[in-house]
């Protein structure tokens, strides 16, 4: 290792900044460079889907501009800068014509949004919101009391739906599944979310998808797969995220569903590590905050000569859908069966694996108060 070269972190999202903070607690002096293709503002991405509920616009959601972050972290922060390739043999980053040496490198490059391709999908008012800059652009396009069509009833689509309703907007949600959050929770719980958001004013078009978007001059006209027409002022595309693998693949670093790492967060390249939404840690791709915080704490130690494996424990995911709150701890395996108790919007589901042991749960509505109790029951099973 050459101490004359810095630790470089690519990415200034929650993973990049959390790691930088943890690293500085252990090492106040080593040169640290952070590089981001975005504007480098520090913000909590989960808060993007609470802007109206909490009365915050994009500026209010920023917790620090890159100048303030650079001072706090004693780091050089380069914004609007895209790293094109990593020469892992010579430990050099390529940024256009520039070459930048690193001692250790961390990829905290996040996840990018899935994009659908249909006539009109490239209209400027068909928008994805995956960072603070996207959110700023969205709020600029959105007027008062608008009709927002949301493609996707997953966690992000449902959270934006609830928040936009709280902001006084009209909301329609379109999804090919038969219930909400279908990739994350079982159907009875998903149906409770649909019912809760419908009671709050949302219209759901389930079993449907958008075939085209046409600008009529006054509004956007969406054609659904059954031929139905829907008028909206703006369309939010929330059809999923996937780890951003472009840079790692272009640099010959092993990737599968994410950038492949072991529990020390080491990639296939020497002195190159990965964490956050971009990483596949020991086979797990977890696009959530709690796992990346655990990784940041472990990796800070590893980068400071104390190799530390990350372990996760039980990490329930909570949705920010106050119309029908959800807490879920997805089972690790599909082999087994759900058992439900239900009273209106309140659903409690426990998943028993093939040995009969409880290995996952979902709670909606009033049942979310049982979170601690059920999380304790799973302790020791989730690694
Ligand atoms: P990102 O925030 O995506 O950061 C990636 C960084 O990499 C960016 O700075 C980008 O500019 C940079 N970058 C990428 N490629 C390059 C390159 N080639 N060169 C230079 N820079 C590059 N999780 C929860 O646990 N609970 C929640 O309630 C929750 N709510 C959410 C709500 C919404 C609306 C969304 C979108 C997500 C939510 N999540 C939630 C998920 C959570 O926010 C993410 O897991 C987390 O923010 C990921 O952080 P990250 O730093 O890995 O990635």
């Amino acid at each position: 290792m050459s101490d004359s070269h810095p630790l470089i972190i690519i990415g200034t999202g929650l993973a990049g900044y959390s790691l930088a903070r943890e690293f500085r607690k252990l090492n106040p002096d080593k040169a640290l460079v952070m590089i981001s293709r975005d504007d480098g503002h520090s913000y909590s991405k989960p808060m993007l889907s609470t802007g109206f509920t909490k009365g915050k616009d994009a500026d209010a959601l920023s917790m620090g501009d890159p100048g303030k972050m650079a001072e706090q972290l004693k780091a050089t922060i380069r914004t609007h800068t895209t790293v094109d390739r990593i020469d892992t043999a010579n430990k050099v980053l390529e940024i256009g014509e520039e070459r930048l040496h690193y001692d250790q490198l961390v990829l905290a490059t996040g996840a990018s949004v899935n994009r659908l391709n249909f006539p009109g999908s490239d209209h400027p008012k068909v928008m994805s919101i995956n960072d603070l800059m996207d959110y700023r652009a969205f709020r600029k396009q959105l007027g008062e009391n608008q009709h927002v069509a949301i493609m996707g009833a997953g966690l992000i689509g449902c959270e934006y739906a609830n928040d936009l309703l709280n902001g006084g907007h009209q909301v329609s949600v379109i999804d090919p599944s038969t219930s909400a959050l279908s990739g994350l929770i079982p159907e009875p719980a998903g149906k409770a979310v649909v019912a809760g958001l419908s009671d709050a004013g949302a219209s759901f078009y389930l079993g449907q998808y958008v075939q085209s978007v046409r600008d009529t001059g006054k509004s956007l006209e969406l054609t659904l797969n059954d031929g139905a027409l829907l008028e909206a002022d703006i369309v939010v595309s929330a059809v999923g995220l996937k780890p951003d693998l472009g840079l790692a693949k272009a640099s010959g670093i092993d990737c599968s569903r994410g950038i492949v790492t072991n529990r020390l967060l080491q990639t296939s390249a020497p002195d190159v590590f990965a964490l956050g939404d971009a990483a596949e840690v020991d086979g797990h791709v977890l696009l959530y905050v709690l796992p990346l915080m655990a990784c940041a704490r472990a990796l800070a130690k590893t980068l400071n000569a104390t190799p530390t494996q990350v372990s996760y424990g039980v990490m329930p995911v909570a949705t920010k859908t106050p119309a029908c709150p959800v807490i879920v701890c997805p089972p690790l395996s599909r082999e087994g069966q759900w058992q439900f108790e239900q009273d209106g919007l309140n659903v409690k589901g426990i998943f028993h694996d093939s040995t009969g042991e409880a290995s996952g749960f979902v709670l909606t509505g009033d049942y979310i108060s049982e979170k601690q109790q059920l999380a304790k029951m799973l302790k020791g099973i989730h690694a």
Side-chain angles (χ1 to χ4, degrees), residues 113-116 118 120-143 146-152 156-157 160 164 213 220 222 232-241:
V113 292
N114 294 329
R115 290 188 195 281
L116 299 178
F118 53 74
S121 59
D122 57 351
H123 191 284
K125 285 191 171 179
V126 177
M127 308 181 82
S128 304
I129 313 165
N130 187 37
D131 63 30
L132 191 59
M133 289 166 67
D134 293 341
Y135 190 67
R136 184 171 276 115
F138 172 67
R139 291 290 293 257
K140 218 170 158 186
Q141 287 280 4
L142 190 72
Q146 299 256 282
H147 182 185
V148 186
I150 299 178
M151 298 191 291
I156 291 170
Y160 280 126
L164 285 159
V213 171
L220 299 179
L222 282 66
D233 297 300
I234 194 161
V235 178
V236 171
S237 176
V239 294
L241 293 166

Side-chain angles (χ1 to χ4, degrees), residues 99-121:
R99 301 286 175 269
L100 204 58
H101 285 268
Y102 60 84
D103 174 21
Q104 296 157 309
L105 175 69
V106 178
L107 303 176
T109 43
S112 47
V113 292
N114 294 329
R115 290 188 195 281
L116 299 178
N117 193 8
F118 53 74
S121 59

